[in-house]
């Protein structure tokens, strides 16, 4: 049910992670805004916040003393986990790598598809796929760069579409070094997928500077001479 509740009666869920802080040089490009009302669980001590920290914080910053919430009298452990996943996503409580692992852990334990998890959390299937791809296909070393903030989520999830880890690292390095902006990553990855013979520097020169490189054919197979 919907109720307006005094903000000072709402306390955080002690089981939710605290907001993560990037110690890298770059901020993540992930920016999520949830329009949903806060979801709270009625307890003897007040109302425990299950989801909606951003909207609650906005109301608090605006000087409001009351905020409209969805009040639940009880929740199952599975429902609480689903609310936690949505809150971790919408409020950026954890790193993208940790969120990808959390999605996979939930789906493995409950044996559900990405589409079903999307229905339960309000997060799109495509978004869930992108986060899980960081765990399934991204080079582990690049995953550490995501956690440190040296590689953004947008860059990482695009680079994860490349199958070869060595190629992933080549593509990622200019972004890690700060030579390239995230705005170029999808075009560079797309070109790398269709032009395996081009070097990354050639692809960058084409995408950024418009210089069309000369396509090279694959190396010819060695000719084996018959024994004399």
């Amino acid at each position: 049910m919907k109720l307006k509740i005094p903000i000072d009666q709402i306390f955080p869920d002690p089981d939710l992670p605290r907001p993560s802080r990037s110690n890298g040089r770059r901020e993540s490009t992930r920016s999520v805004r949830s329009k949903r009302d806060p979801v709270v669980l009625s307890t003897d001590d007040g109302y425990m916040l299950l989801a909606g920290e951003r909207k609650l914080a906005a109301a608090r910053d605006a000087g409001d003393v009351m905020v409209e919430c969805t009040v639940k009298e009880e929740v199952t452990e599975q429902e609480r986990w689903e609310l936690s996943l949505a809150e971790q996503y919408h409020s950026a409580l954890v790193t993208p790598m940790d969120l990808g692992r959390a999605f996979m852990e939930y789906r493995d334990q409950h044996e559900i598809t990405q589409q079903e998890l999307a229905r339960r959390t309000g997060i799109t299937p495509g978004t869930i796929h992108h986060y899980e791809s960081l765990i399934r296909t991204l080079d582990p070393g690049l995953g550490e760069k995501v956690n440190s903030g040296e590689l953004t989520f947008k860059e990482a999830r695009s680079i994860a579409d490349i199958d070869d880890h060595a190629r992933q690292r080549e593509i990622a390095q200019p972004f890690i070094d700060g030579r390239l902006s995230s705005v170029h990553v999808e075009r560079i990855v797309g070109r790398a997928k269709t032009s395996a013979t081009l070097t990354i520097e050639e692809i960058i020169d084409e995408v950024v500077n418009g210089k069309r490189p000369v396509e090279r054919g694959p190396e010819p197979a060695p000719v084996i001479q018959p024994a004399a």
Side-chain angles (χ1 to χ4, degrees):
M1 61 178 172
K2 295 277 191 179
L3 283 178
K4 280 206 167 187
I5 295 172
I7 290 177
D8 61 7
Q9 292 184 18
I10 301 174
F11 61 92
D13 182 348
D15 293 333
L16 268 179
R18 294 297 90 206
S20 58
R21 295 287 184 266
S22 171
N23 58 6
R25 294 170 295 144
R26 307 168 67 204
E27 293 295 327
S28 171
T29 56
R30 183 166 74 95
S31 178
V32 180
R33 295 291 183 268
S34 175
K35 297 180 180 180
R36 295 186 303 175
D37 289 334
V39 180
V40 298
L41 177 65
S42 179
T43 75
D44 293 337
D45 300 319
Y47 297 92
M48 183 169 69
L49 182 67
L50 299 176
E53 169 60 33
R54 283 182 181 258
K55 194 161 186 178
L56 178 63
R60 189 183 292 115
D61 292 344
D64 297 338
V65 295
M66 306 281 286
V67 63
E68 187 169 58
C69 299
T70 298
V71 181
K72 293 184 175 291
E73 297 298 325
E74 60 180 5
V75 291
T76 66
E77 284 303 310
Q78 183 171 353
E79 289 171 335
R80 189 171 175 184
W81 194 352
E82 291 160 1
L83 286 166
S84 174
L85 289 175
E87 183 68 355
Q88 289 176 55
Y89 170 68
H90 287 297
S91 296
L93 293 176
V94 298
T95 67
M97 302 300 295
D98 287 339
L99 187 54
R101 292 187 189 94
F103 286 150
M104 290 173 61
E105 180 184 357
Y106 176 91
R107 292 205 308 110
D108 288 345
Q109 181 160 330
H110 293 286
E111 299 182 338
I112 65 171
T113 64
Q114 291 175 344
Q115 287 74 17
E116 177 62 15
L117 178 57
R119 186 186 69 78
R120 290 170 178 267
T121 60
I123 304 169
T124 67
T127 297
I128 293 170
H129 166 77
H130 284 318
Y131 278 95
E132 291 191 1
S133 73
L134 301 184
I135 309 303
R136 297 186 189 278
T137 61
L138 187 67
D139 174 81
L142 296 182
E144 294 176 7
K145 299 297 185 183
V146 177
N147 280 341
S148 70
E150 296 173 81
L151 197 65
T152 68
F153 169 68
K154 177 181 178 180
E155 292 160 359
R157 58 97 166 167
S158 297
I159 293 169
D161 282 344
I162 299 291
D163 294 330
D164 180 71
H165 281 184
R167 188 73 158 170
Q168 287 183 6
R169 293 191 294 270
E170 291 176 0
I171 296 171
Q173 198 59 52
F175 296 97
I176 295 170
D177 293 340
R179 291 170 48 206
L180 288 179
S181 163
S182 295
V183 71
H184 299 298
V185 67
E186 291 177 347
R187 289 184 62 201
I188 288 173
V189 167
R191 193 72 171 100
K193 290 168 72 173
T194 60
S195 303
T197 63
L198 294 180
T199 69
I200 297 305
E201 291 303 322
E202 287 173 325
I203 292 173
I204 291 172
D205 212 19
E206 176 185 343
V207 170
V208 177
N209 301 318
K211 296 182 180 179
R212 187 77 176 181
V214 177
E215 296 275 2
R216 295 180 293 275
E219 291 291 327
V223 177
I224 302 175
Q225 298 293 337

